[in-house]
Structure formats: structure tokens, C-alpha cells
Amino acid sequence: SSIAGQRSSPPTLTARGGGADGLSLGWPDDDDVLASRAPSLPAAKVRAGGGGLPVTFDVMGLAQSMVDMTVDAEVDDAMLRRLGLAKGGRRVLSSAEERSEVLALLAEEELPTELTPGGSLANTLVGIARLSAAYDAKARLSVGLSGAVGNDLLGEYFSGALADAGVTVLPDGGGAPATGTVLVLPSGDGQRSFLCHFPATHGPPSCAAARARVAGSRMLVVEGYLWDEPGAEASLPALIGAAADGGAMVVLTGGDPGVVARHRGAILNALDHCSQRGAEVALFANHDEASALLGEAHELGASGGAVRLAAALGALCSVAVVTDGGAGSHVVVRGLLSSLPPAALPGAVVDTCGAGDAYAAGFCFALLNGIDAPGAGAFGAAVAARVISRHGAQLTEAEVLELVAMLPASCALLPPIASIVGACGAAAAHAARMRA
């Protein structure tokens, strides 16, 4: 049986070229894959809104709604060259027609693809929802995602699959003509290359309903890739500000170094505005993303590595987390830095895709359940270790049960996030006095 009535993994579909939108799907036998079933939400934390959708969530994510199309075979260098793609690289497809041509070429070469609900933050939110369901099904966290889901079969599939995993996909007041896709091409040496199709959207959600949900949440998680959306530098700060004013903890993820470099000024301004509001902010970045955000101080990465980068980011927000691959991670809470080793692996490293998403899921889930920030970092590392030991970016039922067994017994009343971070800050101040 699956966790708390949820599937152990989202359903998969097969894709091929053709169709009016450049894509046709082979559907699985279970018809409920398209059902918009919201998870069971704790009445004490969620107020019902119009149409039965909740108004507030424990965790609200703002993200691109994407479907991953993974080639179920190794793709050689010759095929990558035909696709105009460098190994390990990323290229954006110009249209649905080009995507259809790529899928037709793969089918011709007998390289089948499977579809799964994807996107960086979607992976994180699914992880939080599954961990919560296994940890305490009676007081599970309510998790929502707001993003531009297309009015197409892929959009219906995305929403239904995430609902099965415990994440409610919410209307954002607009809508995209089609759902975005990421074609994942694995190589024999473990690297992955990506062909992305991003339909034109109206940008991040900006409607009153989205602002209300953000303001009433305990934690807002913003996917870094959203900064590249049209109008994001205007709409995202407004949503972040609404969350900060409502008392939510704001969590920002890097996305990738290019996104951070392109929008460095807007991200720094958002951090500054949150600081002025007295808001709690957590920032997740890997080594290269942290270096890109620090800009002129990027030489810190070369001279002192991730430790110096984490210390510098820690001056910008309440909690800074810098992940450094096999070297572990560094968590800074109000100036107190904890360097954490990588978690023990259950097996060999198989696929590092999604490691950062998994780390963030474990960290946020632990923090919401009263674990201090260094402890949350250790738990995040344990979650990431499970994901990189096999293919696939989302946790399985067996992994979730193993992971939650590491945590203390569930608390009936969860403390406010500010008190958790505040306690870490008090510990930092005490440590500073002791050093003095």
C-alpha cells in the first residue's frame, strides 16, 4: 500500500511526435490520473475558499509547471550533435513544432520517452508532502503550488499527478496556452542533457487570490527559475512582500547560476526589502549560484570555497544554505555557521539530478516540524542521498518511511518558524559571547 493513501510515485505516460500541439500522449489504464483530487487538509490550518480550494497553506510554492519527458535509454554523442545539444548542456526549443520534430526523431531511432510531473520546485513540494504524510498523517502539512499550468492534456496530467502526491495545484488567475516540458537525455557516463520548451506565459501569478494564499501561508517557497518569466521582477517582489507582511517565512531557491546572474539586482532587492520588514528569509544556493549572487565578491568562491560564500550570504538573510556536492553543505543562521558533511549513501551515486530539490524538501520539512536549522540541513542531506543513489528526482514510499524514522516523535503543536530561527539566533549570540 502507498503512504497515507497516496501513490508511491506519480504515474508515467509515454510521448511521441504528432498531434495538433506537436505532441500526442499514450495514456495509462488508470483513468483517475486526470482527477483533480486535493489532498486531505488539516481544518485547523486551512480555510475553504471558493470552489472548495483552500485559501491558505502551510507551504505555498511559486513555480514553473513543467512535465519531464525522459528518454528511457542512453543517448550517444552523435544523437546529441544532431539535436544541436552539448553533453550536459541545456537548449530551449523554439516551438511546439520543433519539440514534435525532436520526438519524431527519437521515435525513429527507437528511443522511447516517459513523462512524469517535473520542475525543480514541484520535486521539492512533492517531497515535503510525502514526508509529512508519513510522519503524521493526522496533522499533515498542507502544500500548494501556484504556476501557469497549460489548458492541455499535459496540464491536466500535471495537476492530477501532483494531487495524487499530496500537492494541490492552484489556478493563478491567468493560464498558459500549453504546459512546458523538459526533454531529459541521459548519457552513458551519467550526465544528462536537456531540451526545454517554455510556452509563452503571463508571468508569475499576480491575482488577489494568489496574494491572499501567499500572505496566509506559513512558508512561501519561490523557484529561482521564475525570475526569467515575463514581468517577474515586478510581480515576484510584491508576492514576497505579501508573504513577509503576513508573517510567512520566505524561501528562495537559486535555479541556476545564469538565472541568478541575470536577475542579481532584483534578488538582492527582494532580500533587502524582506530584511526591512523584519521577515525571516532562507536562501538556498549551490556554490556557483552563491558566487553569481555575490557578484563582485565571486572571488570568495576561488579563495575560500563554499564556507566563505555561505558566510557572505548569511549576512543577507536569516538562513543561508550553500550546498557543495560531495563536500557537504553549509548552513548559516544569524551569523552562526555549521558545516555539515554529506550523508552516508545507501549505494553508489547514480544520478545527481534533483539533489538540490531533495535537500530543500528535507530542510523545509524538518524546519516546519521544529528541527533547528543545522539539524534540518543534516536531514536535507539524508534526503538528497536517497535521491542521488538511483534514477528519478522524487522520493519513493520506502525511502520516505526510512527517512521519517530518523526524526523525533511528531509534535501536536508546531512552533512558529520565527521562534525556531530565533532560537538558532539566540544560540549564535551565546556562542559569540562564549568565544569572546
Side-chain angles (χ1 to χ4, degrees):
S1 61
S2 55
I3 299 170
Q6 306 300 328
R7 288 182 174 147
S8 59
S9 61
T12 59
L13 305 176
T14 57
R16 51 187 177 272
D21 62 351
L23 179 70
S24 59
L25 304 178
W27 294 96
D29 293 333
D30 50 338
D31 294 333
D32 65 349
V33 69
L34 296 181
S36 299
R37 295 194 304 276
S40 175
L41 302 173
K45 298 179 184 176
V46 179
R47 301 187 305 273
L53 287 174
V55 173
T56 61
F57 288 81
D58 290 306
V59 185
M60 168 60 69
L62 302 180
Q64 293 177 328
S65 300
M66 307 293 295
V67 172
D68 286 343
M69 309 168 67
T70 304
V71 175
D72 191 22
E74 294 180 359
V75 179
D76 61 26
D77 293 353
M79 174 58 72
L80 291 177
R81 286 193 294 270
R82 292 178 68 183
L83 296 172
L85 187 59
K87 182 186 292 187
R90 177 176 178 267
R91 181 169 75 83
V92 176
L93 300 174
S94 60
S95 65
E97 289 73 23
E98 185 181 7
R99 179 178 65 185
S100 183
E101 291 171 0
V102 169
L103 290 172
L105 176 60
L106 294 174
E108 179 182 320
E109 297 296 325
E110 298 184 348
L111 295 171
T113 58
E114 287 189 346
L115 274 63
T116 53
S120 173
L121 188 54
N123 293 334
T124 296
L125 296 178
V126 166
I128 293 172
R130 287 193 171 139
L131 289 165
S132 177
Y135 190 48
D136 188 347
K138 294 181 180 179
R140 59 192 298 181
L141 299 172
S142 52
V143 183
L145 180 149
S146 184
V149 181
N151 300 315
D152 56 5
L153 289 175
L154 286 174
E156 293 181 23
Y157 165 68
F158 179 88
S159 298
L162 259 66
D164 282 344
V167 179
T168 303
V169 178
L170 300 154
D172 61 3
T179 303
T181 56
V182 177
L183 184 60
V184 184
L185 302 106
S187 299
D189 59 1
Q191 293 194 63
R192 288 188 166 201
S193 309
F194 305 92
L195 290 172
C196 309
H197 176 237
F198 303 119
T201 71
H202 61 285
S206 58
C207 63
R211 290 193 294 272
R213 291 182 182 122
V214 161
S217 300
R218 295 181 66 215
M219 176 181 284
L220 171 69
V221 189
V222 181
E223 185 179 71
Y225 294 108
L226 274 185
W227 290 103
D228 270 344
E229 294 284 327
E233 292 200 4
S235 59
L236 281 182
L239 290 167
I240 291 170
D245 291 342
M249 184 175 200
V250 176
V251 177
L252 304 180
T253 69
D256 66 41
V259 170
V260 175
R262 287 190 294 275
H263 303 282
R264 175 175 176 267
I267 296 170
L268 290 175
N269 284 338
L271 291 171
D272 183 56
H273 291 160
C274 285
S275 176
Q276 293 176 18
R277 287 175 159 96
E280 303 289 356
V281 181
L283 176 64
F284 287 85
N286 62 26
H287 183 286
D288 292 341
E289 292 159 0
S291 183
L293 184 60
L294 292 169
E296 67 274 11
H298 71 277
E299 68 273 5
L300 291 174
S303 63
V307 173
R308 287 179 178 268
L309 290 170
L313 288 185
L316 304 178
C317 50
S318 309
V319 180
V321 179
V322 175
T323 56
D324 197 23
S329 61
H330 308 280
V331 178
V332 181
V333 183
R334 302 197 196 287
L336 177 63
L337 186 146
S338 299
S339 292
L340 307 172
L345 293 172
V349 175
V350 175
D351 186 355
T352 59
C353 185
D357 306 339
Y359 185 105
F363 188 100
C364 292
F365 171 76
L367 199 65
L368 283 161
N369 281 280
I371 308 298
D372 65 15
F379 187 67
V383 176
R386 300 312 187 274
V387 168
I388 66 176
S389 298
R390 40 77 175 168
H391 290 295
Q394 296 179 358
L395 294 171
T396 66
E397 176 181 352
E399 290 167 342
V400 167
L401 293 173
E402 180 184 354
L403 287 163
V404 298
M406 300 177 181
L407 298 173
S410 175
C411 300
L413 296 175
L414 302 182
I417 293 175
S419 71
I420 301 170
V421 177
C424 296
H430 176 72
R433 289 194 297 271
M434 293 295 292
R435 287 193 297 271

